[in-house]
Amino acid sequence: MSAAFASALVPYAGPIAAAALLTEAQQRTGLSDWGGKRWDEARFRHDLEILCDAIEAGATLTATGRDRTHSRLITMLVSRLRYLDARKAATAADAERIVAPLIGSGMPRAGTTFLHGLMAQDPGNRGVAAWEAAIPSPLADAADREALYTQILAFQGMTAPDVTAIHPFGAALPEECIFLQEGNLGSLYGVYWNVPAYQAAIADKLPGAFAWQTAMMQYLQIDRPRRRWALKGPGHLFNWRELLIAFPDARLYVNHRDPGKVIPSIASLFCKLRSLFSDAAVDPLAIGAQQLAAWQFAVDDYAAWRGCEGAEARVSDVLFTDLVTDPLETVARVYDDLDIPLTTAARGAMARHLETDHHGSAPGRKYGLADYGLDEAAIESAFAPYIERFSIQRERRQ
């Protein structure tokens, strides 16, 4: 297996070109079926070409950034070929049902990763580890895939201390829905590279993204004990209705935190991730403005949905201040809201996890609103209705 991914772990000086990457992946795997009509191969090829052209045109890659970009894309392409080949043989996959998944959302940096990681300790829940999302097949080689993806993440700079001090990345950690959608070319790449043309081109792909994710989940649960999927994605706030079309019986929870703390933290993470690939394409002021506008739209849309067609939906709203004050009681309340039993085994596993989990305990990072061209007036103008609607406590802002 590792031979197929070998080129993801070596320097690369060539162009980021769709045709060359597709050919390389085929040569590495000996496979050539990119999905056909069922998995919309034509759209996949089209979007990959737009992505590669946008990276070369505007991402301003450093030499190391080119290595990492090639690594990210060839890993995805090799994995797609291998997954589709394995899924054709797994004829039982289409009959698998995804029943009442537990799905979290909310603004990034509002405790979503912490809460998701805590819920993943419940023996009745089934998350998806980063290695599993990135390299879904073959199902039998779990340890090998985890070790390989650990190397790939390190090569891409994702597990460097200055990155994990902001957000935990690791092969064994439970991952977000957006990574289950990566093989379909989703919105993840707009985080790593400045590729507005690509982001515009995939704006209508949500149904396909969720169809791909569902198919991955079906495949991953073949011949496994039935457990409740526990997933999360901050980006679901932008596509709540599409999410519920894909998973109509989902149990949902949403994290809320003072946007005055969240927005500069999101911008800080974006800047750090972009800097793994480019020096010149990182503009803190532009990123700050983009994140404020995007998340104002997302929370306003969520609030409107909660006040109308989502008024009777099975959703639990989670305040960051409650979560950090008493994590276990917060989980208990969320489970109660969603009619999920909190077993003694689950509570015990979560308590043990809290004894060793260091997420959020790193030294405080020094950044503030002004670092991203923002101030308190901008935050209040954008988010005051949201803060009041969900009774969010304003924190000390810098």
Side-chain angles (χ1 to χ4, degrees), residues 85-387:
D85 185 64
R87 203 179 192 287
K88 281 188 295 185
T91 55
D94 286 340
E96 292 288 328
R97 295 183 62 239
I98 308 301
V99 179
L102 174 62
I103 304 178
S105 191
M107 296 178 75
R109 326 304 296 156
T112 56
T113 298
F114 172 68
L115 183 53
H116 180 222
L118 188 58
M119 290 179 172
Q121 307 310 308
D122 183 344
N125 289 337
R126 193 255 199 257
V128 58
W131 61 264
E132 195 175 25
I135 310 175
S137 65
L139 289 172
D141 295 342
D144 290 345
R145 285 184 287 149
E146 180 178 348
L148 173 62
Y149 197 54
T150 297
Q151 296 179 58
I152 291 172
L153 282 178
F155 183 84
Q156 294 173 4
M158 302 299 292
T159 52
D162 60 337
V163 176
T164 57
I166 303 174
H167 182 83
F169 290 98
L173 296 178
E175 201 47 280
E176 299 180 9
C177 294
I178 196 172
F179 291 89
L180 281 168
Q181 300 170 2
E182 184 175 2
N184 190 53
L185 289 177
S187 59
L188 171 65
Y189 296 142
V191 178
Y192 298 148
W193 304 292
N194 180 31
V195 285
Y198 170 74
Q199 291 293 96
I202 66 165
D204 65 342
K205 281 188 70 172
L206 284 172
F210 282 120
W212 181 271
Q213 176 180 342
T214 300
M216 285 268 285
M217 292 163 66
Q218 290 175 312
Y219 172 75
L220 292 173
Q221 74 178 26
I222 292 174
D223 297 329
R224 298 292 192 272
R226 288 296 175 265
R227 294 187 291 160
R228 181 189 312 106
W229 283 93
L231 306 168
K232 74 111 169 175
H236 293 324
L237 279 188
F238 293 93
N239 47 63
W240 210 248
R241 295 162 183 85
E242 291 83 358
L243 174 70
L244 287 172
I245 291 172
F247 304 110
D249 59 350
R251 317 285 181 90
L252 309 169
Y253 63 91
V254 178
N255 288 50
H256 302 283
R257 187 183 183 186
D258 179 6
K261 298 292 285 187
V262 166
I263 295 298
S265 186
I266 299 172
S268 170
L269 177 60
F270 261 67
C271 288
K272 175 53 66 177
L273 293 176
R274 291 270 178 94
S275 74
L276 295 177
F277 303 93
S278 172
D279 293 330
V282 179
D283 181 345
L285 302 188
I287 289 174
Q290 291 164 1
Q291 294 306 307
L292 183 141
W295 290 104
Q296 178 187 3
F297 169 84
V299 299
D300 284 351
D301 190 54
Y302 171 69
W305 177 81
R306 286 287 276 144
C308 189
E309 66 262 43
E312 302 300 323
R314 186 169 290 182
V315 184
S316 181
D317 290 296
V318 180
L319 293 177
F320 177 79
T321 47
D322 292 343
L323 177 61
V324 297
T325 300
D326 197 333
L328 288 179
E329 284 307 308
T330 299
V331 170
R333 183 185 63 76
V334 172
Y335 272 38
D336 186 62
D337 287 346
L338 302 179
D339 294 326
I340 298 172
L342 180 59
T343 65
T344 301
R347 183 180 278 272
M350 292 180 193
R352 290 189 294 274
H353 175 73
L354 289 172
E355 292 174 359
T356 58
D357 179 59
H358 301 295
H359 179 53
S361 62
R365 298 178 299 279
K366 294 183 178 179
Y367 56 78
L369 291 165
D371 296 326
Y372 304 100
L374 305 172
D375 56 26
E376 289 211 39
I379 294 294
E380 290 297 323
S381 176
F383 295 105
Y386 164 68
I387 291 171

